[in-house]
Amino acid sequence: MSSRTAIEQRERPVLVVKGLTRAYRSGARMLNVLRGVDLSIKAGEIVGLVGPSGSGKSSLLHAAGLLERPTGGDVLIDGRDCLKLADRERTRVRRAKVGFVYQFHHLLPEFSALENVALPCMIAGASGRDARAEARRLLTQMGLAERLDHQPAQLSGGEQQRVAIARAIVNKPCVLLADEPTGNLDPRTSAHVFEALMDLVRHEGVAALVATHNLELTR
């Protein structure tokens, strides 16, 4: 690959949303949550999605992550117009290209931090050895080298969320969607987790869309 081609790939948006609309029926009326949303995010770029509860942040994330079909518009991930794909192919794109981080970490309580991160990699087809090596690399990068063998109940809230972030990245998605990833943490812990998230996104070259109501973190 030439240097010019590599630069062009880095400059090309990885996630593109065009004219996205989402309406829900509420009794006899339609509630329009999203009205013609446009956005584009490049590799290594972090975009903050700010708004009060009920403003449509989660609806936008679910549509952009192919978890829900919007009422109208287009979603392109890594150049593919995903809403025109059949359900099975859309699921394949979501599994291969999109990582999710939620407000609640949803870690498996009986597994260690290392196992929680390695498991999705093994499900995707990696050997146990390779999956554990990648999980160890990411967790070390997240400052958890001394906590690899700890189960979620033995970790602090901030540590649990950092494990969840590593798990979302382990299969090398090109898009990371985070829905209030620090919403359950105190301000100091939130800042540490958010900083770790930003460092990982930039290091791994992921396009990240992060929903939050915390204006201080967005700044």
Side-chain angles (χ1 to χ4, degrees):
M1 181 186 300
S2 69
S3 59
R4 180 177 179 180
T5 302
I7 292 172
E8 289 174 348
Q9 287 188 350
R10 287 196 300 270
E11 290 300 314
R12 178 172 59 87
V14 177
L15 173 64
V16 178
V17 170
K18 297 179 180 178
L20 205 68
T21 61
R22 187 69 168 97
Y24 298 91
R25 182 168 294 280
S26 178
R29 59 190 286 267
M30 294 299 292
L31 179 63
N32 294 306
V33 177
L34 303 177
R35 305 187 185 197
V37 177
D38 298 307
L39 67 85
S40 65
I41 310 176
K42 300 174 184 177
E45 185 178 13
I46 304 167
V47 173
L49 179 60
V50 182
S53 297
S55 61
K57 298 190 301 297
S58 294
S59 293
L60 176 55
L61 289 175
H62 290 169
L66 309 181
L67 291 172
E68 295 181 6
R69 276 193 176 276
T71 308
D74 299 298
V75 175
L76 286 80
I77 296 177
D78 204 19
R80 297 191 71 179
D81 192 346
C82 295
L83 297 186
K84 292 182 171 63
L85 300 175
D87 288 346
R88 182 173 296 180
E89 185 60 26
R90 198 168 60 252
T91 298
R92 287 198 191 99
V93 173
R94 184 176 68 247
R95 288 176 177 170
K97 301 288 186 179
V98 184
F100 293 91
V101 181
Y102 298 100
Q103 183 172 349
F104 300 99
H105 56 75
H106 300 300
L107 299 176
L108 299 174
E110 66 273 24
F111 292 108
S112 68
L114 183 71
E115 291 166 338
N116 264 283
V117 177
L119 188 59
C121 203
M122 294 170 66
I123 292 173
S127 68
R129 180 178 179 178
D130 289 344
R132 286 190 294 272
E134 181 64 8
R136 186 176 292 106
R137 181 185 73 83
L138 289 172
L139 288 169
T140 299
Q141 191 172 327
M142 295 290 283
L144 297 172
E146 305 300 321
R147 313 290 276 170
L148 301 180
D149 296 326
H150 289 65
Q151 292 178 329
Q154 299 171 304
L155 302 172
S156 69
E159 289 171 338
Q160 291 171 349
Q161 198 64 332
R162 279 185 278 169
V163 174
I165 292 168
R167 181 183 58 185
I169 295 288
V170 71
N171 281 331
K172 302 187 184 306
C174 60
V175 174
L176 178 69
L177 303 175
D179 195 355
E180 301 284 1
T182 63
N184 285 330
L185 305 175
D186 63 81
R188 183 177 180 181
T189 304
S190 293
H192 288 316
V193 171
F194 206 76
E195 184 178 354
L197 171 62
M198 290 191 294
D199 288 344
L200 191 64
V201 164
R202 289 168 179 149
H203 186 270
E204 300 296 316
V206 183
L209 180 61
V210 182
T212 180
H213 62 267
N214 190 324
L215 292 177
E216 188 61 33
L217 287 181
T218 306
R219 292 189 191 99

